[in-house]
Amino acid sequence: MPYIPRVPCIPRVPWHPRFASVAALHKQCSDVLALRQNVLDAAGRHSGGADPMGECAAVASLLRYYRLLCSLETRFESHELRLVFPWRDAFQPNAKQAEADLRYERSCTLFNLASLVSTCAANQDRADPEGLKRACTLFQQAAHLLSLLPPLVGGAAWGGKTTTDIHKGTLDCLQDLMLAQAQRCFYEKAVRDSMSPKLLAKVAKGAADLYEQALGRLHAPELHSHIERCWAAVVGWNHALYLGLSQFHASFEHADAYEYGQQVARLQYAEARLGEVAKLSERDQLLGGFYKAEHARVAHMHATAAKDNATVYMERVPPLSTLPPVSGKVIVKPLAWTHLQLAMEMGGGAMAMAMPTAADGDDPFSRLVPVAVQRELQRCAAGCQAIAEAIFATLEGAVQEGDRQLMALDLPHALQAVEQSALTSTSIIPSQLQEEVRHVH
């Protein structure tokens, strides 16, 4: 089953600390970069292999590195670290990109996580019921990891000049493909559990729809010449396969309703589609046998039904276009990965941030105040200063207004004159006014 290729990294990441606070953490940051190289080497060794235990260990190590990246990003600005992260395109290794941004490193690491999870899914033993169930779950989890990338990449300054592998169109295509693979696993389980033909037809058509959607994206100009042609070929084969199988299972409903001519019409279409796939894939040593066996099964059923109808029932075989179309039912969806518990950022969004957990060991940056918290503290301090300045300005204005009112009333000069006259026994206030003041008091 197809899986996502990993993004190869360029081996060495230059480390040039600029600020004293960053230089003091040289050892911690160097340890993180050493972990980066170790986990990516491990991912490279197990990418495409069939070593489930090794893959699980690589996933755990890469996840730990991703969480440490998130912790590092919350505590430093990228320009402070002066780290340049170079990566190569997953499909065209000659194309490379390097950015001095932790978000870029997180994006590529997240892509590699999705790659490893999809590899684990592809390497499951689907002959075992539990292996089939795990494969279905892992493909949905890989789709979820891919769904986290577009907002992470699109919100970055370098988002408009990324390599094609993490471009939105490519990520959407890979997500559709992962869901199609998961739907295929669900179909295989439904066949094994002997579900009704009606349900099998809907599930098969749902898989065909997902493969068709992925195929359309693969034929887009930006991907058509970028991804190897075998991708589009295999996806096209699977689209035709499940399109035919949907008609194959729908034919059993006509047989149960004694509509033998309509049964033959659907089987005829199913055999034609699977015959095309068997012929196109006959040179593929890995997949050719599977498609050939599926075609033989459908061809046998078609030959039997056509013979019975020609010799016994003698019903007219109508064109397929006159029959009710089979409606697809998509069962699968992107499934959140329990190992990647996202945390909300200070801005209110969840740009795939995941803080280190107890399982990751000690966080070397846990004693540092995150950059977002520092910004918030600075904002609060600036706000407090602005409030204090506003209160002081109001108070100053009130004092000036009071002085103006006193001057208009000739105060306090008039009162001082009264006090002076009392001391000298020489009154400058008319006697009549003095009597009135005494009367009032």
Side-chain angles (χ1 to χ4, degrees):
M1 299 182 83
Y3 55 86
I4 307 168
R6 76 182 185 97
V7 179
C9 70
I10 299 173
R12 184 173 176 274
V13 175
W15 164 247
H16 301 293
R18 180 179 179 184
F19 296 98
S21 60
V22 180
L25 295 170
H26 185 282
K27 182 180 184 304
Q28 291 90 328
C29 292
S30 298
D31 291 344
V32 171
L33 296 182
L35 175 62
R36 174 189 196 259
Q37 193 58 53
N38 291 338
V39 297
L40 293 180
D41 287 345
R45 287 194 299 271
H46 299 291
S47 180
D51 179 10
M53 294 301 294
E55 289 160 4
C56 291
V59 168
S61 297
L62 197 56
L63 183 59
R64 177 173 180 266
Y65 173 64
Y66 183 81
R67 291 196 182 110
L68 288 178
L69 277 178
C70 294
S71 177
L72 189 62
E73 185 175 350
T74 61
R75 288 164 171 82
F76 292 104
E77 295 284 4
S78 294
H79 68 272
E80 291 181 326
L81 295 175
R82 298 185 68 185
L83 287 170
V84 179
F85 299 99
W87 290 85
R88 297 187 187 275
D89 191 293
F91 301 98
Q92 298 289 342
N94 291 332
K96 60 184 179 180
Q97 181 179 357
E99 299 293 339
D101 189 352
L102 285 166
R103 179 177 287 192
Y104 177 68
E105 177 73 355
R106 279 205 294 133
S107 300
C108 296
T109 304
L110 196 59
F111 187 98
N112 275 335
L113 271 172
S115 169
L116 275 175
V117 172
S118 71
T119 304
C120 290
N123 289 333
Q124 295 297 317
D125 180 12
R126 301 201 315 279
D128 175 41
E130 288 301 316
L132 183 62
K133 182 179 179 181
R134 282 194 300 271
C136 185
T137 300
L138 288 169
F139 277 125
Q140 292 177 86
Q141 290 174 341
H144 170 69
L145 292 174
L146 290 168
S147 71
L148 298 175
L149 280 166
L152 187 60
V153 174
W158 43 263
K161 56 184 180 70
T162 62
T163 49
T164 307
D165 54 348
I166 56 174
H167 189 270
K168 186 178 186 304
T170 308
L171 296 173
D172 290 342
C173 175
L174 293 175
Q175 183 179 345
D176 290 340
L177 183 56
M178 292 299 99
L179 292 177
Q181 297 292 79
Q183 181 85 0
R184 176 178 180 174
C185 293
F186 191 90
Y187 167 81
E188 292 176 2
K189 183 179 186 303
V191 170
R192 186 174 298 173
D193 293 344
S194 301
M195 296 293 184
S196 67
K198 183 176 182 180
L199 177 61
L200 290 174
K202 288 180 176 293
V203 174
K205 184 59 167 58
D209 292 342
L210 288 170
Y211 279 118
E212 183 179 20
Q213 192 167 330
L215 184 62
R217 297 188 191 276
L218 283 171
H219 285 156
E222 63 271 14
L223 294 183
H224 181 67
S225 58
H226 190 79
I227 298 179
E228 293 181 3
R229 293 182 179 180
C230 62
W231 279 65
V234 174
V235 172
W237 296 345
N238 286 335
H239 168 241
L241 170 69
Y242 286 98
L243 203 58
L245 288 176
S246 66
Q247 299 293 340
F248 170 73
H249 292 295
S251 69
F252 287 92
E253 295 184 72
H254 294 299
D256 293 340
Y258 308 107
E259 299 169 346
Y260 300 107
Q262 298 180 32
Q263 178 194 18
V264 173
R266 292 194 186 274
L267 288 172
Q268 184 178 349
Y269 177 86
E271 184 189 0
R273 296 286 76 76
L274 270 69
E276 293 174 1
V277 175
K279 184 176 181 179
L280 291 171
S281 63
E282 59 186 0
R283 293 185 180 181
D284 191 308
Q285 298 180 355
L286 183 63
L287 301 175
F290 167 74
Y291 293 123
K292 185 177 180 180
E294 289 294 301
H295 173 247
R297 179 167 67 99
V298 173
H300 173 73
M301 184 64 67
H302 173 234
T304 302
K307 180 180 179 181
D308 290 344
N309 185 60
T311 58
V312 180
Y313 307 114
M314 300 181 185
E315 289 188 7
R316 185 182 70 87
V317 179
L320 184 67
S321 58
T322 63
L323 301 181
V326 178
S327 59
K329 185 176 181 61
V330 177
I331 308 296
V332 298
K333 62 181 180 180
L335 189 62
W337 200 25
T338 56
H339 299 291
L340 189 66
Q341 298 178 352
L342 303 184
M344 297 299 290
E345 296 190 59
M346 292 299 294
M351 288 294 184
M353 295 294 289
M355 292 298 102
T357 63
D360 298 324
D362 294 334
D363 179 0
F365 310 107
S366 59
R367 296 179 180 273
L368 300 177
V369 179
V371 172
V373 176
Q374 294 178 21
R375 289 200 200 99
E376 193 68 15
L377 290 173
Q378 292 172 359
R379 189 187 67 82
C380 290
C384 292
Q385 184 177 356
I387 292 172
E389 289 176 353
I391 293 174
F392 179 78
T394 302
L395 179 61
E396 188 72 18
V399 170
Q400 293 177 359
E401 178 64 18
D403 290 342
R404 190 184 66 81
Q405 294 289 342
L406 289 173
M407 291 296 293
L409 297 173
D410 194 24
L411 294 174
H413 304 93
L415 293 177
Q416 291 173 352
V418 173
E419 293 173 356
Q420 185 66 28
S421 65
L423 292 174
T424 60
S425 301
T426 303
S427 177
I428 60 174
I429 301 176
S431 58
Q432 184 180 358
L433 180 56
Q434 291 183 24
E435 289 298 329
E436 291 180 358
V437 170
R438 291 192 191 97
H439 179 72
V440 171
H441 288 285

